[in-house]
Amino acid sequence: MPKRDHCDCPADKTLKVIGGKWKVPILYFLWTGTMRFGELRASLTQVSPKVLTEHLREMEADGLVKRKVFPQIPPRVEYSLTARGRSLKPVVEAMVKWGKGVKTTK
């Protein structure tokens, strides 16, 4: 029998899609509307361009984010949430609400 890295529960499936340090903050900022890469980068000041690109590509592959490239020089790329990405809003809102009551040690 193959070894599993995670449990086979619905919550684990959700974490596989939105897990990662920057995915939930990306969702949070994209709820305000379509953003360009530079705007996302400015909103997420601690993320490197490489990691932001990786997360956006993963989120696009998972059907959460839509990437639109405009054929111009220099190229303009915009990111927006898909219906699937928007469906995570209540999940993230619950996380935000819960997080406001947490006192961290750092």
Side-chain angles (χ1 to χ4, degrees):
M1 178 179 282
K3 183 180 175 184
R4 294 184 179 171
D5 291 333
H6 297 279
C7 67
D8 189 27
C9 71
D12 188 56
K13 291 176 184 178
T14 304
L15 287 175
K16 285 179 183 176
V17 174
I18 64 170
K21 183 174 181 177
W22 299 104
K23 288 185 180 179
V24 171
I26 290 168
L27 290 169
Y28 179 83
F29 285 109
L30 286 177
W31 279 310
T32 63
T34 300
M35 296 179 83
R36 294 177 69 177
F37 183 86
E39 294 171 317
L40 277 168
R41 176 88 167 88
S43 299
L44 303 164
T45 58
Q46 300 296 312
V47 67
S48 71
K50 178 183 181 242
V51 171
L52 180 57
T53 298
E54 288 172 359
H55 278 11
L56 286 167
R57 285 182 182 160
E58 290 170 7
M59 294 171 77
E60 184 181 12
D62 288 331
L64 304 179
V65 171
K66 183 174 113 179
R67 180 178 186 258
K68 185 174 182 181
V69 180
F70 293 87
Q72 62 186 52
I73 306 285
R76 186 175 100 208
V77 180
E78 293 181 344
Y79 295 91
S80 59
L81 292 177
T82 63
R84 185 173 189 207
R86 287 189 304 273
S87 74
L88 286 165
K89 189 169 186 176
V91 174
V92 177
E93 284 176 335
M95 292 169 70
V96 168
K97 183 178 177 183
W98 188 86
K100 286 181 179 179
V102 174
K103 295 185 187 214
T104 60
T105 57
K106 292 183 180 181

